[in-house]
Structure formats: C-alpha cells, structure tokens
Amino acid sequence: MQLIQELIAELLAQMSRIREKATESEAIVRDITKDIQILDLAKRNLALSVTALKRFQMLVNALGQLEAMVKEKQYKEIAQTLGAVKEIALFFKSYSSIERISVATKKLQELQGSVRASVEKDFDDFFLQDPSRPIKQSAISDACLVVDVLGDDVRNAILDRYAALELKEYRRIFRNTDEAGQLDNLSRRFAYFRRVLTAHDTERARAFPQNWKVGEHLTACFASATRGDLVVGLENAAEKAAALGGAPKKGLALGGRKVEELENKAGVPVLTVSLLVESLAQTREFENAMAKKFGVSFKELVERVPLPGGTGQTLTSAFGKHMNVFVDAQDKLISDLLASHRGSNARSSLDATSTSPDPDTPAPSVLPSSTELFFAIGTGMDECLKLGGEGVMMPICKMYKRWLKVYAEDVLIAGTKRSAQDRKSTETRFNPSEIQKLCLVLNTADYCQTTAGQLEDRIKDKITQEEAEEGEGEYSMQEEQELFVSVISTCLTLLLRELEHATDSPFQTLLKSNWGAIETVTGTSPWVEELATATASVSEVIHEKIEPKKYVRSFCDRASNALVTRFTNALVKSRPIKGLGGEQLLLDLQSFKSSLLKIPGSGGSAESMYARNVAKNISRLETLLKVIITPVDPPDAFVLNYILLIGDSSFSNFQKVLDLKGTPKAEQNTLLDTLLTITSTRTELASESFLTTLDMDPGSTPGSGMEVDAPRTTESKREVFSDLRKLVSFTMRRERDKSGT
C-alpha cells in the first residue's frame, strides 16, 4: 500500500514538471513568433490599403467617366456605370471622415442629382411632346434604366408627374363646380379616362419597362382624384335632396336660407335612388373592367400603388355612406306594395283573393301579396348584390326582416279576424268560404316560412366572413320563421273552431237527448249522420285547399281529438245513461268512429297512425259505456266487471261511473262498500285510469272533458288524495250506519 502511494506521488511530481516545461515552451514559441504575427498584421493592413487604393482609384475614374457620360446624356452607359459606382461607394461608407473620400462621395451625390435633373427634364419633354425638343422613345427607355438605379422614390416621382400631366385636362374639365363634374356625368369621367389609358397604351407605354406598371399607376391616380370628387358630389346631391325633401309644397314660399342653398346647388343633381344605383353600377363596371385589364382586383391595385397621400381606396367605397338611399327606396317600395293589404284592408284583400271573378279560373293557393313581397325582396337583393355597395347588406337585411314581421302580423293574422257581424252570422253554421280563406292564409304562411329560410341561406352565402362575424345574428331569419309557424298554428286553431261550428247542431242534439228514457234501439241516431256529413264537408275543403299535407295530418289529429272530447262532454252533460240508452250510444259510437276514420282520407302510414289513435280514444268510450250499461245487481258482479274493464281501484273514478248511470245514493253506498271490500285484497290494481281525467262538470269550451292523451302526474296525485278522503268519509259513514242498527 505504501509502495502504491509512493508511485502516485512520483507520478504527480512528473506531471507537474511536464506542465512547467510546457509553459516555458509556450513562452519561447510566442517570443519566436511575435515578429511573425506583427508581419502578418502588417501584410493584412497593406493588402487592405492596396485594395482600398485600387477601389478608390476605380471610384475616381468611374466618377470622371460618369461625369462625362452625364454631360453627353449617355443614359444606357450611365445606368451601368452609376450602378457600379454606387456599389463601390458602399465600401467607403465607413471611411467618410477621410477628406478625399468625403469629396468623392459628395461628387457622386452631385452627379446623381445632375442625372436625376437631366432625366426628369427629358421625361417632361417626352410627356409634353414639345416639337422643338423631340425625345425618342429609345432615349426614354434608356433613361428608365437610370431611374431604376436611382431608386424607387425617383421612379414614383416621375410616374406621379406623368399621371398629373395626363390627368391635368381631366381635372380641368370635370371640376366639382362645373356641370361635367356632377354625379350624373360619372360615365363621361370613365369614358375620358379610358381614352387617356388607350392613348398611353398606343403611344407611350412601350417607352416604359413593364415592371413599372405605368397603367396601374395612372389608374390609381385617377381613382384617387375621382373618389374625392365622388365624395363631394354625393354629399352635395344628398344635401340638395334633403333640402328639397324638407321644403314646403309647391306654391308656398321657401325660407331665405334654403333658397340660397338651392341656388348655390343649381347644377347639382338630386340624389335619387335611380341616380345612386346608376352611378354605383357604372363605378362597379369600371372597377371590374380595370381589374380584368390588369389581372388584379381593383382594391389590390389601388392599395399597392404608392401615392403622395398614401394608399388609395376603391371608388365604390365612396357610396357606402349613402346606400341608405337605396335601402329607403326598397323600404318605400315594399310599404307601397303592402299598403292595400295591411291592417283594416287585410280582410277585404283576403276576401278579394279567395273569390275568383272567373269561375273557370282557380283561386290561388297562396296570397299573391306574398309572392309579390318576396319578388320585391329578391329583386332588391339581386340589385344589392350586383351593386356590391359596402355596408348595405346588414341594413337591407334588417329592413326585410321588419317587413316580414309586418306581413305576418298586419296581413296574415289581421286577415283571419272577422268583423263582429260576419262572426255572428256564421258562428252556428258551416261556412266553406271562411275555411277556404283560412287555408289560403295557412298556405301563405308556410310559403313565407320556407322562403324566409331560403333568403337567409342566400344572404349568408353572399356576405363575407368579416360581415358574418360583425353582424352575428343579424342575418338570421329564425325569429321571422317562428312567427310564420305561429300563424300556421293560429290557422289550424281557427279551422278547428270552424269544425266546431259546423258540428254544433248534431252535438246539441246529442246533448239534449234523454238517454235514460230510451225504450228501443232502432239503428243509428240521426245526429250521427248529421255529424258525419258536417265533418266530411269540412275535411273535404281542407284536403283540397291546404297545400302542405303535413298540416292536413296535423289538423286531422287535432280534429279527431276535439270531436272525441266534445262527444265525451256531451255524454257527461246528458247523464243519466241507462240500459238501452247506453246500447244506443254504443251503436252511435261505432258510426261516430267511422266518420272520424274518414277525415284523413285513405292510404299512407300517417293514416294508419291516425286510425290507431282514433281506435284508442273510441275504445275508452266503448269501455266506459259497457261499464255504464252493466246492471248494478248483483253488486259484486258489477264491481268485478268495473275492475275487469277499467282496471283501477279509484273511488273517484268508480263514483263517476255511478253518477253517469244515475245510481241513487243509497245504492251507491252498497256498491262503494263492495268496491272497498274487493279492492282491499287486489293490491295489483292501479290507482288511476283514463277516467281520472274525466271532467264531470265540463265547461262550454271544446277543450274541456276527458283528455285523450296520457293523464298528468299532478292530476294523478290529486286523485289519490281525493280517493283517500272519500275512503275515510265512506268508512266513517258505514260505521255510523252499523252502530245505528
């Protein structure tokens, strides 16, 4: 172990000696190469100095050559030399403090200024076409090479100068204060510029390089100048329209200030919707033509061309502030269109539409006013999309939505309201004319609901993503569609009321019949045939006149439920029902069922579902009548028959059956006692049945009586507690009777 430690110590000592020798060697090498490093640095500095001197000599020589070329206007050579000189000058940018270099740099700047002045003068002579100083296109083409070397700012200045000269006469002719510069002469502006552009293409375009895009620059400058004139012209025309619109009628004196304003705008046209639409259409057509010519959208064209006042805007954007004129015109158009169909005129308009003057001409299935409304909306939307005015889609959509609501409320709903005299004269008889009118309104509401959805889809397809996000919910027609659906529901309710009026007479006969005094059953009662005839008459008109068959099915379902409810109410009100009276009602019930099954027509799965619903409702009435006609003696047999047919242990339901039979109170106690005894051991019996919802004191409204659908939970709970109270009361009464005996 000690030997290993000694070896390690010796190894460390050797490493220390090696490190010291390496340090000494490094110092010796550094001392030896010190002079060499100095020589290398001197060599690099000398090489750099030689290079700088050579480049400076090249710069001086090039400046001399450039100066001579500038004097001779050798633009092609100047372009090559100037580019090289500018590249060499970049090398001396960090040596600008040296006098000789500073002088050379200033010389270069002076030469560039001289070249620019010479080029601009030649361009002016070329633009002005001075016969005394003719300039060849080849010289201008060479000058363009020099301009490219001088930089984009020089090129843009020359193009701005060219555009200003080309549009100088245009600005003089089409001033806002002159007649030619007014809004109604907009087409002349575009025609003039087209001639300017054509002259440029045929005479001077070849002198410019294609990458200069001189035509686009001319167009952007024209758009900038014309847009400013458009803004002023539109403002003046709008102010004049406002002044005239607020003036008194012809023949009355105008205020002095207003007269002065109108005199100042004597040559200014009035901003009407036709002028606005025509001007916007002409502007849109011009922008599309320019976009097609240059292969880029007009908006991109005016935005990418640098102008002295910044980037330009499209011409059509000037109309955005005044598009309310178009919206107001559309609003007035629809207002005038619906004026003869709204409010107090709604009923007379509906009467006139449903009555065809020519017997051979069938009446329309929808109100013509609805098709006229959507035709006006569609036409206005087409014009709006064709014009493409910015910011107009949202206000025009709001306006259309408002008129759809007005049409639903002031035309359709108002059309269903009859006068008091008409209502009184027809409320107790079948009125096919009124049913036809309601069907017409229903068809129209369905048409409007469907078309409103299509209008929403069309609008959403045309607006941009930004407009959709900005006006979220503003383009939705959901509220309007729901309003038309409510109109349809109202029409169905009114049709049911007409059915009620048509069937009122047979149900009154049923109600007044004494079912406890029937001695013989001879066949179907006359009231059933009368009811079948009335029901068939109403359903025939509805089948013929309602176009959307889904609403026919809805009416049939609601009609059958309403008729079953009225039948049930009549049974309850005409009690007591005894013996042969119940037999007669069972026979009449089958005929009543047959008349119900004829309401929807024949065929289809919907009719089979309807038939099952009718069979379910009629079977309940059959069950009730079978229980009613069962003799109460013996009591056990009657109660067992009740349990078998009805299937519940409810005291209140059993009491209802006894009341319908007209059972005396004394017998009812015995029967209730028997029910209690039997049901006490029948725990599987339900506490409720279809009789739970049977109203023993129905009102005069069609909806009262036994519900045809499933009973509600809250009613079931009330019936359970009612049964409990009756059970306790009955038990106490029975105990008193026993103690008395």
Side-chain angles (χ1 to χ4, degrees), residues 116 120 123-124 127 147 151-165 212 217 221 306-308:
R116 177 172 180 174
E120 288 179 345
F123 269 108
D124 283 347
F127 296 154
V147 172
D152 292 341
D153 55 337
V154 178
R155 179 176 61 189
N156 292 332
I158 290 174
L159 291 179
D160 290 339
R161 171 67 173 162
Y162 176 57
L165 291 173
W212 278 32
H217 200 98
C221 291
L307 297 176

Side-chain angles (χ1 to χ4, degrees), residues 183 186 190 274-284 319:
L183 194 62
L186 189 59
F190 297 141
S274 58
L275 178 60
L276 179 74
V277 169
E278 182 182 2
S279 301
L280 184 53
Q282 292 170 355
T283 306
R284 176 65 64 185
F319 291 86

Side-chain angles (χ1 to χ4, degrees), residues 230-231 234-236 238 271 276 318-327:
L230 267 178
V231 171
L234 286 167
E235 290 289 347
N236 291 337
L271 185 60
L276 179 74
F319 291 86
K321 183 180 178 181
H322 303 278
M323 288 305 293
N324 62 298
V325 176
F326 176 77
V327 177

Side-chain angles (χ1 to χ4, degrees), residues 476-508:
S476 173
M477 298 285 178
Q478 183 66 32
E479 185 177 347
E480 289 70 29
Q481 288 180 283
E482 291 176 355
L483 186 57
F484 286 116
V485 171
S486 69
V487 174
I488 294 173
S489 179
T490 300
C491 290
L492 289 174
T493 301
L494 293 175
L495 286 172
L496 289 174
R497 187 176 299 171
E498 291 299 321
L499 176 63
E500 177 188 353
H501 294 161
T503 58
D504 191 64
S505 177
F507 276 118
Q508 288 296 325

